[in-house]
Structure formats: C-alpha cells, structure tokens
Amino acid sequence: MGEAMDCRGVDLSGAEIRGDVEGRNPPIFLPRQPAASPLVALDIGGTLIKLVYTASCEGGGAGAELRFAKFERRRLQECFDFIRAKGLLGCNGTRSGKENVPLKATGGGAYKFSDDFREKLGVCLDKLDEMDSVVSGANFLLQNIPGAAFTHMNGQRNPVDVSPNNLFPYLLVNIGSGVSILKVTGNRKFERVTGTHIGGGTMFGLAKLLTGCKSYDEFLQLSQKGDNFVLDLIVKDICGELVCQKQGLSTSTLASSFGKVITSKKRLTDYKPEDLASTLLSAFTYNIAQIAFLVASLLGLRRVFFGGSYIRGHKSTMENISFAIDFWSQSQMQAVFLRHEGYLGALGALMSYGDLSGENLTLEESKEKEPHHESAAPVDGTLSDEENDSNIFPYLLVNIGSGVSMIEVIGKGKFERIIGSHLGGGTILGLARLLTGCSSYEEFLELSQRGNNLSVDLTVGDIYGEEGYPKIGLPASTTAASFGKVNSSKLSDYKIEDLAAALLNSFTYNIGQIAYFVANLSGLKRIFFRGAYVCGHEKTMDKISRSLKYWSKGEVQTTFLCHEGFLGTLGAFWSYENMGIDSLAAHEVIREVLLGAPYTGQFPSLPVTEQQENGENNTLEGEIESLRNNNAALKAEVDRLQSENAELRAKLRGATL
C-alpha cells in the first residue's frame, strides 16, 4: 500500500499513575516517552469504543501521559470528532507522507468499521487480534504500573503487590458485552479456555427493558439505591426462620434471583427501578464469579484477575464478585481487579507500536497459525446409553427448581451437595412474567417456540462480521451476549415471543455450562436432571442437551428423570432409593442443598427484610413429600413396565412354540 513502516514505540521506563489515584482511569505518566508525536489505539467492541492515546503532560514538562476516553459504538461520529479535536492524526486531521502509518485497532468493530475510518478520517486501521491485545494490556499493567492491581472486599480497597517474576500463570476474566476467560502463562502466551454469553451486555440489555435506563452508568447508580430482597427468593422464604435457625442456615442466602416474582401479583410497573437494577446486578455478577471460580478450579489456578469495561470500578460489582469467589473457594482464591480495566484491549494495541517482531498477529494471520478451540453453537442430540443398577454410580444430580442444586451421588445413601446456582427456573419464570406478562411456565415455553432470540441477542457476527472469530473457533452465529442487541428502553419495541426465546436460551445454556464444569471438576461423565422446570418440558430438555453436548464435546451423558418421553430410562433407576438419594431428608444434607450463593444484597451487613408474599413459604416438609410422591410414581411405572415386559416375553415364547 506504500505506507511507511511505523518504528515509533512506547517507552515504559518509570511508568506510574498520576493525578487522582482513586479516580476513574487517571493518566499514566511515561517520563521517557516523547510527546511530540502522539500515538493512539482503539478497541472497538460490541457496545463501546475504548481509546488510549499519548499526550503532553498537564502543565508541560518532559515525558508524556497515557490518557483514556470511551464512546458508545453507535455514536461513532463522536469518536471521529474527538480524534480530530485532539490532533491525533497530525495537523488539522490530515496526515503527511511522513506520518502515513496505520492506526492500531482491535475488537470486532475494527473490521466492521474499517471503511468508515478510511472515509471519515482518511486512515487505515492496523487490525490486531482482540485476545492478543487484551492479554498484552493486562500484562502491561501488571508488570509495569505500581498499584495497578487491587482487591475490593468488605468495603476496603487494598493494593496487591504483583511481582513480575511471579505473575504467571493466572486467569483473566474479561467482562465485556459477553465474557471471555483466558489462562495466561506468559507474555503473548495464553489460551482462551471458555466464555459465557451472560455478561455486561445481558445486564444492560435487561436493565433497559426492566428499568428504562438509558446508560450503563445510570443502571449502576440505580442499583446502589435498590433492595434486591424485594424480588429475590432467599432461604428464609423457602423454609422459614425457625428451620434456618435449627439448621444453622443463613436466612439471607440467595436461593433464586427474581424468584419472588413467581408468586407475586405485581406487574413490572409495580416494582421500583432501583430494586430491579439491584437484583440484576447481584444475579449476574454472582453468576460470572461462579463460572470464574469453577474454571480456575479446573485449571488449578488460585490467582483470578477481572477486567473489562462493564466493571467500571463499581464498588457493588467488585464486592459481589469478591464475596462470591471467597465463598465458593472457601477463601482459597481471591478476586483481583485492575486499574483501567476497560482499556486492556486498547492498551495492548498501543503497545504494538514499534513492535517489529511480528508477534502481534492480526486476525487474518492468526487464522493459519491457531487451531480452533471451540465448535459452533450447540446442536441437536442427546446421549442415551443403556444403564443398569450396577454401573449407575457415580453421577451428578442436577435439581432445577426455583434455584439449582448439584449433588454428587457415589452410591446408595452416599452423596454430597457440591454447589448450587441462583439462576434457575424461578429466575426464568420471574423474568418472563416481568417481560412478557405470561402467567405460567407452560405459557412461557409456548411463547418461546414462536420467538426468534436473534432479535435481541448479540452474536459474534454482529461484532466481527460474517467471518466470525475463527482464531478461537467462534462462527458468526455464536451468541456473544444474551440481550446484548437491545438498544431501546421501551419494552413495547420488542415482541414478547422473541424475549421469551432469548430468556430460555440464555438460562438453560447457562445451567448446562455450569453443570458441565461441575461434572468435569468432579470427574463425572454422567449427569441426571430433574425438577419442575425441566422434566416433561421438551423445549427445556432439548436446550440443556444441546448445551451439554456443546460444552463437553459429546463426552458427558445427559439423562432426564421424568416420565414423558423417557420411559425407557426408568428401568435403570428403579426408584430414588436405588439412585442413592433416599436420605435426602437428612438434616445435614438439607442444610447443604439449600445453600446456593454466598449472600444477597450489595453488602453482607444488609438486614433481611420481613416482607413475604402469600404462598412463598413453601415448607421443607412439602419438598420432601414431593420427592416421596415422585419416588412412588416411578416405582409404579417401573412395576407396570416390568409387568408388560413379562407379558410380552410370555407371548413371544408362546408364538415360538
């Protein structure tokens, strides 16, 4: 193209944070960086454009400063105007032949908007791989900037002294519109191990629909004023305060996000936006933290760093993540956050100036060098191998009620509750009632079958274009962020069928993903699902089956404990007693099964509210009785099948004779 080779680089010697060190994204002082020739790099994501550039120091003096700016992606023109106003393209926004060098950029938008930059600014974009850039940006902060890493727990922010010589390996959880989770083993050495479609885009998309907020910062401000106890189902709501005291349970333990909505007669307009925002924030930050904990455990990592533009230095966000990681790891892991966490990709892209090694691969170059790590979106199919009483153990039992409990069963009467999730059937139906007005789970499922989730879900293709992100094996059709395409704050702008389809996809796939991680962590190859929100509902079972097949690459067997459509599996189980869960009513086990999340509310010191809707106090005895009834029904069905089988065999013998 006849462009000059760019030999300018970033001199990091003596780099330090200047200005208000407690403020958001303060400048980074580079004492040996020349300010005469500015450098600029962009990270154009699914929602935001993040920009990092060098500029002269405030008040003059030697060196330069790294400064930070962000814009909504839909307001691309504002970004163009800013670049011109700051003189980041040379004199009056034009480039001389001497300065004719590409502009460093990363993120999916670098591909989608390349022509816009050429037409509006007269520059071409040097497009860098997003994951490479994010890791380079994180390593830059951790290895060069004192005070870049910190913890935030119990309202206290404490710096973390990270030795560059003892940094690797670590887990990097980057929360953007979706979430990418990377294992980093060195400079430019990493692997994207997994991700989740429930991220910042999901929170913001649902926040727009439920609260009418116009910006993510407005959503965070609302959440600070709200009380999630108004909508969340907690342990006290299920078994009462007396049982909680007897079992030593925390009354405020979160059982089901949005679970109270199920039995309430309130409509969306009857809830305060602040309470809705608080519930959304706790629900999804806990979920992200839980997945991060499970992945770190699988990889044997104890150091987990969180970055991404959706953290925003927000205290409640960091508190939720920190407490959840500490709770699930039994204080063996610590959540560590990064200054300038939303600019990791842009910082990494900026560091590539002057890099002549060729190690900063563009996406096109990386296609030939990197294998695909993930397949396409979940596809049809379940596994249905024959089982018998002798080889059924061990297995993972996933009970999907209002929340989710996961129990490892190793033999008759031998089992242990491993973990739970607060995003269960109660969350799905609670949100469905608020968003669609449906009155039952069956009505919700019927709506979802007529909907198109792509009307509201953000895909990889929406971010990167029709080629997708081939380096990490993500085709254009892969969901990047559930509800990430929601732009309007008017609920009436969307079809309730499409919202129902997006809800079913997001939460069933999430349950399947967590179940796979738990089974993998426990070395289990067999997962059984039961519960009111899955058994007998073909659409739900299909989604979970697809999810398990996708995440496990077909290595984990998925079976559902229900009657309709699965009579052939009943003979393998005989009864719940033969499955090893006959002692489910034991007090010590009940105590474990009910624990789903570390706490509710923004801070653990918040008092538990006394407000309870009629019908919310489902007793523990009722759940036990339900299990017994299910057990009796299964026994009766097995007896009937055995009787029919004996009759058929007798007829066959008679016909043969």
Side-chain angles (χ1 to χ4, degrees), residues 569-591:
T569 64
L570 290 174
F573 307 134
W574 290 94
S575 69
Y576 283 117
E577 283 83 356
N578 278 1
M579 291 188 70
I581 55 173
D582 57 308
S583 299
L584 194 59
H587 285 185
E588 64 274 12
V589 176
I590 292 172
R591 179 181 183 279

Side-chain angles (χ1 to χ4, degrees), residues 235-309:
V235 169
K236 189 176 87 168
D237 299 319
I238 298 174
C239 59
E241 193 160 0
L242 181 61
V243 175
C244 288
Q245 292 174 354
K246 288 183 177 180
Q247 298 300 324
L249 291 167
S250 170
T251 56
S252 61
T253 296
L254 180 58
S256 175
S257 293
F258 290 94
K260 277 185 181 175
V261 178
I262 299 175
T263 55
S264 173
K265 296 181 180 180
K266 293 181 180 179
R267 298 181 178 181
L268 176 58
T269 53
D270 296 326
Y271 291 98
K272 295 179 181 178
E274 296 88 343
D275 297 337
L276 292 163
S278 178
T279 306
L280 282 172
L281 185 70
S282 62
F284 295 119
T285 49
Y286 287 151
N287 187 70
I288 292 169
Q290 182 174 42
I291 292 175
F293 156 70
L294 291 170
V295 174
S297 299
L298 282 167
L299 298 175
L301 300 176
R302 291 292 176 264
R303 185 175 292 160
V304 185
F305 293 98
F306 288 85
S309 57

Side-chain angles (χ1 to χ4, degrees), residues 379-523:
V379 295
D380 291 322
T382 59
L383 300 175
S384 56
D385 292 340
E386 290 288 332
E387 294 296 336
N388 57 58
D389 192 48
S390 62
N391 67 4
I392 191 175
F393 305 112
Y395 65 87
L396 182 69
L397 177 66
V398 181
N399 184 54
I400 305 176
S402 294
V404 182
S405 288
M406 301 188 186
I407 304 167
E408 179 181 9
V409 184
I410 59 176
K412 296 179 180 179
K414 298 177 181 179
F415 54 92
E416 178 183 6
R417 190 258 186 199
I418 303 176
I419 202 168
S421 172
H422 54 287
L423 298 186
T427 311
I428 300 175
L429 184 53
L431 283 170
R433 287 193 170 180
L434 295 174
L435 293 173
T436 72
C438 66
S439 58
S440 68
Y441 193 61
E442 287 74 15
E443 182 184 352
F444 159 70
L445 290 176
E446 195 276 329
L447 280 174
S448 71
Q449 293 194 40
R450 295 188 277 113
N452 179 14
N453 65 292
L454 295 181
S455 296
V456 293
D457 285 349
L458 187 72
T459 66
V460 172
D462 294 324
I463 301 173
Y464 281 91
E466 60 184 14
E467 294 296 323
Y469 195 168
K471 179 178 179 178
I472 56 176
L474 295 177
S477 60
T478 304
T479 301
S482 294
F483 293 92
K485 202 183 288 183
V486 173
N487 292 319
S488 173
S489 297
K490 293 182 179 179
L491 188 57
S492 58
D493 287 345
Y494 300 92
K495 295 180 180 179
I496 59 175
E497 294 88 350
D498 297 341
L499 297 173
L503 280 173
L504 186 66
N505 275 8
S506 59
F507 291 106
T508 50
Y509 288 156
N510 183 70
I511 291 170
Q513 182 181 30
I514 292 176
Y516 165 66
F517 288 149
V518 172
N520 197 0
L521 191 61
S522 303

Side-chain angles (χ1 to χ4, degrees), residues 83-94:
I83 290 173
R84 289 196 192 96
K86 294 295 182 180
L88 300 179
L89 298 177
C91 182
N92 296 322
T94 62

